[in-house]
Amino acid sequence: MKSFDLQLYLVTDEACLQHKKLFGAVEEALKAGVTLVQYREKNGLGKEMLRKASALKKLCHRYHVPLLVNDRLDIALLSGADGVHLGQDDIPVAEARRLAGPDFIIGATAHSVEEALKAEADGADYLGCGAVFYTNTKKDTVPLGLEGLTAIRRAVTIPIVGIAGVTPENYPEVLATGADGAAVVSGILGAEDITAAVKSFLRSGQQ
């Protein structure tokens, strides 16, 4: 499933869930129209992460949506996920491409034009760029801002998404930079009504 749509990219964080279970929340978001799912669990144990990733892959494929795994290329490959998203401290994009092959989706985090250009040169399929806005989940991060997102868009040819602090209200501003979409965590999973939250994002993106 090399083809992918970055319009509304859900990143999981079980700490955001409002008394809901992970799989039920993700399925609700899939039904409502998210276009890509990234399974992220920063401190998970390998065996349990593999179990969750394998189950999420089956769930996402039921809705014809790709599943990516954050950081852990081993979990991504073993679970049969469609790809991996790598941060600046994870294994290098070029090594991941060598191990996973050309048909595996590889995303990379970029906080600057320099990081974006390197990730593109090393074989990344898309970039997650941020933090675009200040967010409680990234308190120690200096925001990239819309200007920084625009600069990355002008520098690279691969698709990019803005991440951190994106809401239905500012989502059109993110798209106006030329970004292909936004990655959202708490704005979807932290909502009381996940379906309504997803549809709000999708509506604002069409304005």
Side-chain angles (χ1 to χ4, degrees), residues 3-195:
S3 63
F4 54 93
D5 180 352
L6 295 170
Q7 180 184 7
L8 188 56
Y9 176 165
L10 173 65
V11 181
T12 73
D13 182 349
E14 292 188 66
C16 292
L17 295 173
Q18 297 282 337
H19 312 294
K20 298 186 179 186
K21 299 295 185 182
L22 175 64
F23 299 103
V26 171
E27 183 162 26
E28 189 175 343
L30 287 164
K31 284 180 179 178
V34 296
T35 58
L36 191 69
V37 174
Q38 179 193 132
Y39 167 49
R40 183 174 73 179
E41 189 164 350
K42 285 293 186 179
N43 300 307
L45 298 176
K47 186 176 181 180
E48 181 64 7
M49 288 185 69
L50 179 58
R51 182 190 70 80
K52 289 181 181 178
S54 299
L56 283 170
K57 182 207 72 170
K58 292 177 183 176
L59 176 61
C60 289
H61 283 198
R62 201 180 306 153
Y63 293 89
H64 308 289
V65 169
L67 175 75
L68 311 183
V69 175
N70 184 68
D71 296 348
R72 297 285 301 268
L73 179 62
D74 57 338
I75 299 295
L77 291 172
L78 288 168
S79 67
D82 303 287
V84 68
H85 184 89
L86 300 171
Q88 289 296 315
D89 296 325
D90 296 324
I91 67 170
V93 169
E95 288 300 305
R97 178 61 70 203
R98 182 178 65 81
L99 289 168
D103 297 327
F104 199 67
I105 301 168
I106 298 178
T109 298
H111 307 102
S112 66
V113 167
E114 291 73 23
E115 289 180 358
L117 287 168
K118 177 165 176 42
E120 181 178 44
D122 287 347
D125 291 302
Y126 76 90
L127 301 171
C129 306
V132 181
F133 304 107
Y134 176 81
T135 171
N136 286 330
T137 60
K138 298 279 187 179
K139 292 181 180 180
D140 58 345
T141 301
V142 176
L144 177 69
L146 294 168
E147 289 185 7
L149 190 61
T150 300
I152 290 175
R153 173 67 289 164
R154 290 173 177 167
V156 300
T157 60
I158 58 177
I160 69 170
V161 295
I163 188 168
V166 183
T167 65
E169 290 72 32
N170 61 34
Y171 183 38
E173 297 177 67
V174 172
L175 295 177
T177 68
D180 298 88
V184 181
V185 188
S186 60
I188 293 174
L189 292 184
E192 195 68 44
D193 186 336
I194 289 175
T195 297

